[in-house]
Amino acid sequence: METAIQQDYFTLLRFQSVGADPAKLRDCVSCAMWLKTWLAELGFEGELLQPEKGFAPPVLFAERKGEAHGRTILFYGHYDVQPPDPVDEWKTPPFEPAIVGDRVYCRGAQDDKGQFFAFLCGLKDYLASDAAKNNAPNIKIVLEGQEESGSGALIQMAPSMRKRLAADVMLVCDTAAASDLQPAIVAGLRGVSHFTIRLDGPSRDLHSGEYGGVAPNPAQAIAGLVASLHDADGAIAVKGFMDGIEPPGDDERALAAQSTPSDEAFAADIGCEPVGGDRRKPIVERLSFMPTIEVNGIHSGYGGAGAKTVIPSSAIAKISMRLVPGQSPQRAFNAVKAHLEEHTPPGMKLTLEDFNAGAGGFRLSVSSPLFRLAGIVLEEMDSRGSVFQWDGASIPVVSILKEVSGASPLIVGWGQAEDRIHSPNESYSFKQFSLARTWAKAILEAL
Amino acid sequence: METAIQQDYFTLLRFQSVGADPAKLRDCVSCAMWLKTWLAELGFEGELLQPEKGFAPPVLFAERKGEAHGRTILFYGHYDVQPPDPVDEWKTPPFEPAIVGDRVYCRGAQDDKGQFFAFLCGLKDYLASDAAKNNAPNIKIVLEGQEESGSGALIQMAPSMRKRLAADVMLVCDTAAASDLQPAIVAGLRGVSHFTIRLDGPSRDLHSGEYGGVAPNPAQAIAGLVASLHDADGAIAVKGFMDGIEPPGDDERALAAQSTPSDEAFAADIGCEPVGGDRRKPIVERLSFMPTIEVNGIHSGYGGAGAKTVIPSSAIAKISMRLVPGQSPQRAFNAVKAHLEEHTPPGMKLTLEDFNAGAGGFRLSVSSPLFRLAGIVLEEMDSRGSVFQWDGASIPVVSILKEVSGASPLIVGWGQAEDRIHSPNESYSFKQFSLARTWAKAILEAL
């Protein structure tokens, strides 16, 4: 990697752009401004957009008019990153890039700064190439700062930007390749919504001796409430939640199986038995075609050194839902809400806070011309050719951009499990960076 | 209250003697040394004791030889306090005494610094009185620094101190009076044990999209595990836990009912319905004669601003058990341990940490001569006379001191619910302080 590129990459990584944390808003703005300037040098006219309501990490919209004809390509990425905590589990400072062997360690090294920036470097290569001369398409770039927390601002603005976002193809580089970096085309994504459950019981923390057996305990209550969301097999136990789900076709099932690691590979990767979700179903089904209700956090009472014999006054649980085609975020939330209201233990006041609808999931036809062209380009890069993936993860805004822009999504990324995105010591290899960069140049030439 | 007494009281409160927190060890030592000096002025020979194993907040043992005859009185109290958190809910700094109206606000203002120090002031009054002249009994004082976290050091040392602790009567001032400060004699205490449940799942925090439906979720698992400890009625669902419990006599039930607030009074006090414990039983039964398994804290994953769509790698729950006569801490713990092992969800590694056996509970005969004498003294203080209490709380070490010293316990305290012990903004009124002080002088004269 050229020194200049690496310097820019590291500069991008140093912005502490945790979009979910209001305290990091300034870092997000600085990051977006830096990207606007970087793109300006490639001939892009950029603008930082804000939603009408509230003040959020800005959405960078940049456009470069093409020379030849009407083809328009939309590229989407996000410059926000997950919070770094637990910070003390990082071997190096979370926002200072550290090179170890062939890898760069830093929050965002991969998700999504590393992946979208590598793609933009490939775009830069393309624009400098003969292929682009007098023949470059219109290129629109959207880089947002809230992907990790639901893309609130962009989702709010998108409907009013139909004209601006209109495109033929939408490229995204924010997903994983198959094992051993075999190229993968995403044929489906799950949607994601999240919210916070709050239980209030006693008006203050109580002595667990003076009141034990009398006062209801919110820590115990939230445990029971959260536990009620799943049955003994790990299946979702919320009435109506699974209604309307569109089952995959046999071809989709077969292709998904090809790109899904084995149970053993998963066990080795995650360090425990892969027994999440409905254990009566195979992993490929649970990961690619079934929804989840996940507890991202549960907190109540004392957690420090020694003991504190207290009955806490309140408890929270942070919940996210992965949704599949046929489910709407609002309908799914309503089902969970009804379930929680019905199962709230006596003595507790239930409040559901910060519901972020996000977006539903989608699946694309594996036989489209765009996918066939991408398959050819990827086979030129890697003789193994490409596989299709129905990714368990979500890029909520992609479903919305897909609808608003009218573009066909082409989602190809170069992540690997060892990158540990969302965890301490996230990293991305120079090899992966280079693959993403090569892919960007090649597909832009082909389109 | 005389200025000098108030100054000493406030000095005692300013020591941040959180015995459970290793970081506060120095504060505990300073506090014990200050108390040793204060007692020296009353003619006590004091010594700071350390257990053989480890270094803990010291136990202050002080003794004053009596003039007249062989009567020996043992007084027990604890200078350690609960942690102050949640600190931001304090209206005034937790370790800076603040007078508002007739009350002193500070962590430990009541539990137990305020109560035992008021008693020591009464002892000082007694020693200065004619009644004490040439007639004072031997007085032994034990002030420990780990009551809030299980009295580890003192319980470890007590068996080797039989001769030193031997006494006829053991006085304790660490409990509550009945409503409207009507005097109450404690006829029973629950025991307490505590431990930490730890569940480990994935070897790192995981992306809830990439792994949702595949990786087991410790936050969800600990919820299910904790929920399994109680049934739908709130009764303990742990096999063998309730075995051997000695039911109270009808006289005890009747007397306990007299000193137990009504459901309405409890609801007004705690700010929610008093539906803790086995809802099929009356409150007096649940509070005075039944054990509890209480979740003092549950923590896993993200709890900060916004959302973090993660599957956490581990989870903890802090558990305390209140025990009644017929239960042994070790037997109760073994029953819970077996239950937890049996109910640990697939994919999770269970670890039980920091088990502190504490002590069992006890009940005393309400017709003993000591109780009759105390009843007379208290009736002279308050024409309403005294009531008997079977306190839901615990002073683990009292059961052990009772056995080791051979003394009959006389446990009379002056707490009230509004004191909010163990909660932010703990307080104690000058009126309560004065009652504890008067009681000390009066009972020492009578014994």
Side-chain angles (χ1 to χ4, degrees):
Chain A
M1 183 187 297
E2 309 89 313
T3 316
I5 295 284
Q6 181 173 314
Q7 276 172 357
D8 287 346
Y9 178 31
F10 284 14
T11 303
L12 175 62
L13 292 179
R14 289 190 181 100
F15 291 104
Q16 301 190 19
S17 49
V18 179
D21 184 353
K24 299 295 187 187
L25 187 53
R26 180 190 298 249
D27 307 77
C28 292
V29 173
S30 310
C31 185
M33 287 172 65
W34 182 87
L35 285 162
K36 176 173 177 287
T37 309
W38 193 90
L39 286 169
E41 289 171 17
L42 304 191
F44 280 83
E45 274 197 17
E47 188 182 351
L48 299 192
L49 306 177
Q50 279 293 333
E52 285 184 12
K53 283 174 286 162
F55 190 69
V59 173
L60 170 57
F61 179 83
E63 180 162 13
R64 184 183 188 282
K65 290 261 168 293
E67 287 77 18
H69 40 66
R71 271 181 308 134
T72 300
I73 290 167
L74 174 64
F75 177 75
Y76 165 83
H78 66 90
Y79 66 80
D80 63 308
V81 296
Q82 283 278 322
D85 46 300
V87 172
D88 55 10
E89 289 181 23
W90 283 79
K91 298 199 181 84
T92 56
F95 287 104
E96 182 50 44
I99 301 177
V100 181
D102 181 51
R103 306 188 71 83
V104 174
Y105 290 81
C106 191
R107 168 59 81 225
Q110 195 255 60
D111 178 16
D112 178 39
K113 284 175 174 174
Q115 297 227 68
F116 86 70
F117 188 68
F119 191 97
L120 294 185
C121 290
L123 163 64
K124 186 179 183 180
D125 300 337
Y126 164 72
L127 291 173
S129 71
D130 297 341
K133 282 212 176 48
N134 315 316
N135 188 36
N138 303 317
I139 302 176
K140 299 173 175 179
I141 295 176
V142 172
L143 297 174
E144 68 152 327
Q146 293 180 294
E147 193 274 342
E148 301 293 1
S149 50
S151 303
L154 182 49
I155 289 173
Q156 192 188 133
M157 289 185 284
S160 61
M161 296 173 65
R162 288 187 178 277
K163 196 134 178 292
R164 229 170 165 186
L165 294 169
D168 305 297
V169 174
M170 171 167 61
L171 295 166
V172 181
C173 188
D174 189 26
T175 50
S179 49
D180 304 321
L181 282 169
Q182 181 179 7
I185 300 170
V186 172
L189 285 172
R190 289 195 287 196
V192 65
S193 303
H194 46 78
F195 58 94
T196 302
I197 303 172
R198 182 182 173 86
L199 285 182
D200 289 286
S203 50
R204 63 185 192 275
D205 289 359
L206 298 171
H207 185 297
S208 70
E210 300 291 350
Y211 293 93
V214 175
N217 183 325
Q220 196 171 292
I222 198 117
L225 192 54
V226 162
S228 74
L229 293 169
H230 297 81
D231 68 18
D233 294 307
I236 291 168
V238 176
K239 198 154 136 289
F241 186 83
M242 309 290 283
D243 294 358
I245 290 177
E246 299 160 10
D250 294 346
D251 57 335
E252 292 176 308
R253 273 209 179 79
L255 286 164
Q258 288 176 23
S259 59
T260 303
S262 67
D263 292 26
E264 296 65 30
F266 263 121
D269 171 16
I270 67 178
C272 67
E273 285 305 295
V275 289
D278 184 346
R279 289 183 287 281
R280 294 163 306 190
K281 300 274 178 31
I283 276 192
V284 56
E285 191 84 9
R286 280 145 50 196
L287 182 60
S288 297
F289 304 117
M290 290 177 70
T292 67
I293 298 177
E294 208 69 68
V295 187
N296 305 123
I298 184 167
H299 294 279
S300 178
Y302 191 63
K308 183 159 188 263
T309 51
V310 72
I311 297 174
S313 63
S314 67
I316 65 151
K318 297 208 159 240
I319 307 291
S320 61
M321 310 184 289
R322 299 286 165 173
L323 305 173
V324 298
Q327 290 182 298
S328 94
Q330 191 61 53
R331 271 207 341 271
F333 176 70
N334 293 345
V336 175
K337 184 165 181 289
H339 175 97
L340 293 172
E341 285 163 352
E342 185 190 336
H343 288 77
T344 297
M348 294 293 134
K349 180 172 161 292
L350 170 74
T351 317
L352 298 184
E353 300 170 337
D354 307 328
F355 172 55
N356 183 314
F362 64 82
R363 289 205 293 273
L364 303 166
S365 159
V366 295
S367 50
S368 69
L370 177 62
F371 278 11
R372 285 209 296 278
L373 177 65
I376 292 163
V377 170
L378 290 167
E379 193 155 6
E380 281 164 2
M381 281 179 65
D382 185 324
S383 58
R384 291 173 299 180
S386 59
V387 297
F388 286 106
Q389 283 181 341
W390 287 263
D391 198 321
S394 317
I395 316 176
V397 70
V398 166
S399 344
I400 282 125
L401 290 179
K402 171 174 174 291
E403 189 274 315
V404 169
S405 68
S408 322
L410 177 52
I411 305 167
V412 175
W414 304 91
Q416 294 282 274
E418 72 218 68
D419 303 341
R420 305 193 164 201
I421 60 173
H422 289 216
S423 301
N425 307 304
E426 175 180 355
S427 68
Y428 199 44
S429 69
F430 288 107
K431 168 136 193 238
Q432 290 166 289
F433 191 101
S434 144
L435 284 167
R437 185 175 172 180
T438 307
W439 154 249
K441 182 164 185 283
I443 190 65
L444 287 167
E445 283 171 358
L447 283 168
Chain B
M1 183 187 294
E2 309 89 310
T3 317
I5 295 284
Q6 182 174 312
Q7 276 171 0
D8 288 347
Y9 177 30
F10 283 14
T11 302
L12 175 62
L13 292 179
R14 289 190 182 101
F15 291 104
Q16 300 190 18
S17 49
V18 179
D21 184 353
K24 298 296 186 187
L25 187 52
R26 179 189 297 247
D27 306 76
C28 293
V29 174
S30 310
C31 186
M33 287 173 64
W34 181 87
L35 285 163
K36 176 172 177 287
T37 310
W38 193 91
L39 285 169
E41 288 172 17
L42 305 191
F44 280 82
E45 272 197 20
E47 188 182 350
L48 301 193
L49 307 176
Q50 278 293 333
E52 284 183 11
K53 283 174 287 163
F55 190 69
V59 173
L60 170 58
F61 178 83
E63 180 163 13
R64 184 182 186 282
K65 292 258 168 294
E67 287 78 18
H69 42 64
R71 271 181 307 133
T72 300
I73 290 166
L74 174 65
F75 176 73
Y76 164 83
H78 66 90
Y79 65 81
D80 63 310
V81 297
Q82 284 278 320
D85 48 299
V87 172
D88 55 10
E89 289 183 23
W90 283 79
K91 299 199 181 86
T92 56
F95 287 104
E96 182 50 44
I99 301 177
V100 181
D102 181 51
R103 307 189 70 84
V104 175
Y105 290 81
C106 191
R107 169 59 83 225
Q110 195 256 58
D111 178 14
D112 178 42
K113 285 175 174 174
Q115 297 227 70
F116 86 69
F117 188 69
F119 191 97
L120 294 184
C121 291
L123 163 63
K124 185 178 183 182
D125 299 338
Y126 164 72
L127 291 174
S129 71
D130 298 343
K133 284 213 175 49
N134 315 314
N135 188 37
N138 304 317
I139 302 175
K140 299 173 174 179
I141 295 175
V142 172
L143 297 174
E144 70 152 323
Q146 292 180 294
E147 193 275 340
E148 301 293 1
S149 51
S151 303
L154 183 49
I155 288 173
Q156 192 188 133
M157 289 186 282
S160 62
M161 295 174 65
R162 286 185 178 280
K163 194 133 177 294
R164 223 168 169 187
L165 293 170
D168 305 295
V169 173
M170 171 166 62
L171 296 166
V172 181
C173 187
D174 189 27
T175 50
S179 50
D180 304 320
L181 283 169
Q182 182 179 7
I185 300 170
V186 173
L189 285 173
R190 290 196 286 197
V192 65
S193 303
H194 47 79
F195 58 94
T196 301
I197 302 172
R198 181 182 174 85
L199 284 183
D200 288 286
S203 50
R204 63 184 192 277
D205 288 359
L206 296 172
H207 186 296
S208 70
E210 299 291 349
Y211 293 93
V214 175
N217 183 325
Q220 197 171 292
I222 198 117
L225 192 54
V226 162
S228 74
L229 294 169
H230 297 81
D231 69 16
D233 294 308
I236 291 168
V238 176
K239 200 156 135 289
F241 185 84
M242 309 290 284
D243 294 358
I245 289 178
E246 300 160 9
D250 295 345
D251 57 335
E252 292 177 306
R253 273 209 179 78
L255 287 165
Q258 288 176 22
S259 60
T260 304
S262 68
D263 292 25
E264 296 65 30
F266 264 119
D269 171 16
I270 66 179
C272 68
E273 286 304 297
V275 289
D278 184 347
R279 287 183 286 280
R280 294 164 306 190
K281 300 275 178 32
I283 276 193
V284 55
E285 192 83 9
R286 280 144 52 194
L287 182 61
S288 297
F289 304 119
M290 290 177 71
T292 67
I293 299 177
E294 209 69 66
V295 188
N296 305 123
I298 184 168
H299 294 279
S300 178
Y302 190 63
K308 184 160 188 260
T309 51
V310 70
I311 297 174
S313 62
S314 67
I316 64 151
K318 297 205 158 244
I319 306 290
S320 61
M321 310 183 288
R322 299 286 165 172
L323 305 173
V324 298
Q327 290 182 298
S328 93
Q330 191 62 54
R331 271 208 339 272
F333 176 69
N334 292 345
V336 175
K337 184 164 180 290
H339 174 96
L340 293 172
E341 284 163 353
E342 185 189 337
H343 289 78
T344 296
M348 294 292 134
K349 180 171 160 294
L350 170 74
T351 317
L352 298 185
E353 301 170 336
D354 307 329
F355 172 54
N356 184 315
F362 64 83
R363 288 205 294 274
L364 303 165
S365 158
V366 294
S367 51
S368 69
L370 178 63
F371 277 10
R372 285 210 296 280
L373 176 66
I376 292 163
V377 171
L378 289 168
E379 193 156 4
E380 282 164 3
M381 279 180 68
D382 185 324
S383 58
R384 293 172 298 180
S386 59
V387 298
F388 286 109
Q389 281 180 341
W390 286 263
D391 197 321
S394 317
I395 316 175
V397 70
V398 166
S399 346
I400 282 126
L401 289 179
K402 171 174 174 291
E403 188 274 316
V404 169
S405 67
S408 322
L410 177 53
I411 305 167
V412 175
W414 303 92
Q416 296 282 271
E418 72 218 66
D419 304 341
R420 303 193 162 203
I421 60 173
H422 289 216
S423 301
N425 307 305
E426 174 180 356
S427 69
Y428 199 44
S429 69
F430 289 107
K431 169 137 194 235
Q432 289 165 292
F433 192 101
S434 146
L435 283 168
R437 185 175 172 180
T438 306
W439 154 249
K441 181 163 187 283
I443 191 64
L444 286 166
E445 284 171 358
L447 283 167

